[in-house]
Amino acid sequence: MNAPASPQAGVSPRLPVSVLTGFLGSGKTTLLQKLLHHPGMARTAVVINEFGEVGLDHLLVAKASENMVLMDSGCLCCTIRGDLVDTLRDLFLKRVRGDIPEFDRVVVETTGLADPAPIIHTLMSDPLLAARFRLDGVITTVDAAHGANQLDRQPESVKQAAVADRIVLTKTDVATPATTAALMQRLAAINPAAPVIPAAHGDVDPKTLFDAGLYNPETKSPDVARWLKEEAYRDDHHDHDHHDHDHEHGHACGPDCGHDHGHDHHHHDANRHDDHIRAFCMVVDEPIPWNSFIDFMEALIAVGGENLLRIKGLLNVKESELPVVVHGVQHMFHPPVRLEEWPSDDHRSKIVFITRDISEAVIQPMFDQFVRGTTESA
């Protein structure tokens, strides 16, 4: 992880990319069909695996090139050619040359079995893509009628929900209210900060899906509170238990403080893959030495990189009066960004973790060893 970049590095005109994922049969294709027809998708480029899968024929207006069509909504749809890197580079070049209509955002659809992490890694690690595109968020579709069974049987389904910024609950018209309510509660335990958006027959307003990233296009500035949503990881009902875990310089709060936090006691079932997911927020009162934080993250990645599903943080760095934003998916991190100002009078560091089989009881001592020890001796 490099030194924090200038404030503009996180809020440049780079094009936002949303990753659309969801398990097989979760209604992702139906959602995509409706989105492509929605006028709110104008000036959007949608990258899909195959045209035929989403039935574009009756919406087709013009063919921009051999792998691109222009929809009646103004949305540009293209298939992945070669690999995602080639496709996104090709899209950007055609946009610059004026070969295709201007677009302001990109949606990348994954296959139903796909882990969204490699796509996010591609956006982070390819130098040319990272200079032109930024991750806006992950949109995951979950079937209201059969989602619970998929969560039980398919670990990738749980991971898709865990890393999501937005969860679209499909087929709510055929699921019973009790089934839907139970699934929504379960999704909230897996991913407390992701809004769950009901959608019958794939109908959903695109405005509810996008602008999930750090940069808020309406204010033309970072919106840390909306992006981090650290308050979603608090559990006020167990505040009395948290005091046992608090330290002078830092404490962790959230659904994983040694309590069930929304899980029934009978959930110790090998088929309950989401019982392995942990979501919590660590709050640190004192400024953090930047190099010590890097050492901590490198040690944590070495211990369980693949199981660090997502990390978001707003840091009070000892070497800087301005806050630093960090964002990682598994072992890959976006370049850290130094903001131009603190979003509020609260200058504590807040780090949100979504992990698999890595609990607060593992992370807190590592943080103490690498970061708090240095802070205390400073």
Side-chain angles (χ1 to χ4, degrees):
M1 193 185 298
N2 298 321
S6 62
Q8 288 71 26
V11 294
S12 68
R14 293 179 300 159
L15 295 170
V17 179
S18 299
V19 179
L20 175 60
T21 189
F23 205 72
L24 292 169
S26 65
K28 180 161 54 73
T29 300
T30 301
L31 174 67
L32 195 54
Q33 287 174 335
K34 293 295 182 73
L35 286 176
L36 288 170
H37 196 45
H38 198 288
M41 291 290 286
R43 299 179 69 87
T44 300
V46 179
V47 179
I48 62 176
N49 293 295
E50 293 291 342
F51 283 150
E53 292 179 1
V54 293
L56 301 182
D57 293 343
H58 65 295
L59 301 177
L60 179 61
V61 173
K63 196 161 189 173
S65 69
E66 65 275 12
N67 71 323
M68 299 182 187
V69 295
L70 185 63
M71 314 304 297
D72 57 1
S73 62
C75 177
L76 182 73
C77 190
C78 74
T79 55
I80 294 176
R81 180 171 56 185
D83 61 18
L84 182 61
V85 172
D86 291 339
T87 300
L88 289 178
R89 287 178 178 177
D90 186 47
L91 263 179
F92 190 85
L93 287 174
K94 282 183 166 60
R95 177 181 181 271
V96 170
R97 293 197 301 257
D99 295 342
I100 57 177
E102 284 275 335
F103 57 87
D104 298 330
R105 70 170 68 251
V106 179
V107 176
V108 177
E109 179 226 14
T110 71
T111 64
L113 294 172
D115 176 356
I119 293 178
I120 300 172
H121 292 170
T122 297
L123 295 172
M124 291 181 181
S125 59
D126 184 85
L128 289 177
L129 292 188
R132 295 167 173 83
F133 299 97
R134 60 179 172 84
L135 176 67
D136 180 67
V138 178
I139 304 163
T140 298
T141 54
V142 178
D143 181 339
H146 304 290
N149 183 58
Q150 290 173 344
L151 292 174
D152 285 343
R153 298 181 180 278
Q154 305 292 343
E156 286 307 326
S157 177
V158 176
K159 186 174 182 180
Q160 289 170 348
V163 302
D165 295 281
R166 303 283 188 268
I167 296 174
V168 179
L169 197 60
T170 63
K171 306 181 186 178
T172 54
D173 52 312
V174 298
T176 66
T179 299
T180 301
L183 180 58
M184 290 185 71
Q185 183 177 10
R186 190 168 172 183
L187 291 170
I190 295 172
N191 190 337
V196 179
I197 304 163
H201 306 292
D203 288 322
V204 63
D205 187 343
K207 289 181 180 178
T208 65
L209 304 181
F210 303 133
D211 300 330
L214 175 65
Y215 179 64
N216 185 341
E218 292 185 3
T219 62
K220 308 297 183 184
S221 64
D223 189 341
V224 178
R226 178 183 56 84
W227 174 73
L228 191 62
K229 292 185 179 176
E230 54 88 17
E231 72 281 356
Y233 299 87
R234 298 174 185 164
D235 189 336
D236 295 334
H237 299 295
H238 293 276
D239 278 349
H240 61 282
D241 294 310
H242 289 163
H243 295 308
D244 294 335
H245 296 283
D246 288 355
H247 300 284
E248 180 183 354
H249 297 286
H251 62 276
C253 57
D256 180 49
C257 290
H259 309 285
D260 283 329
H261 291 266
H263 291 290
D264 295 336
H265 291 288
H266 67 274
H267 284 174
H268 300 292
D269 180 343
N271 288 330
R272 290 288 300 229
H273 294 291
D274 44 320
D275 280 346
H276 296 266
I277 301 298
R278 305 287 183 265
F280 54 95
C281 175
M282 188 160 65
V283 181
V284 185
D285 298 332
E286 297 298 323
I288 298 173
W290 177 248
N291 287 336
S292 298
F293 180 77
I294 293 176
D295 291 342
F296 159 66
M297 287 310 311
E298 289 179 346
L300 191 56
I301 290 170
V303 169
E306 292 301 309
N307 290 326
L308 296 172
L309 301 186
R310 204 153 183 190
I311 297 172
K312 295 180 179 181
L314 176 70
L315 305 182
N316 183 341
V317 177
K318 193 172 184 180
E319 295 82 356
S320 172
E321 294 183 359
L322 298 174
V324 174
V325 170
V326 294
H327 182 200
V329 177
Q330 294 180 330
H331 61 281
M332 294 290 298
F333 271 76
H334 281 292
V337 175
R338 184 184 290 112
L339 303 183
E340 294 179 330
E341 61 181 2
W342 280 93
S344 72
D345 292 334
D346 185 356
H347 290 191
R348 295 177 300 170
S349 297
K350 299 171 184 177
I351 312 169
V352 168
F353 295 89
I354 299 180
T355 66
R356 180 169 52 198
D357 292 325
I358 306 178
S359 69
E360 171 203 346
V362 171
I363 292 177
Q364 184 69 62
M366 292 184 66
F367 184 86
D368 292 347
Q369 176 185 353
F370 286 94
V371 179
R372 287 188 67 239
T374 305
T375 301
E376 289 179 339
S377 63

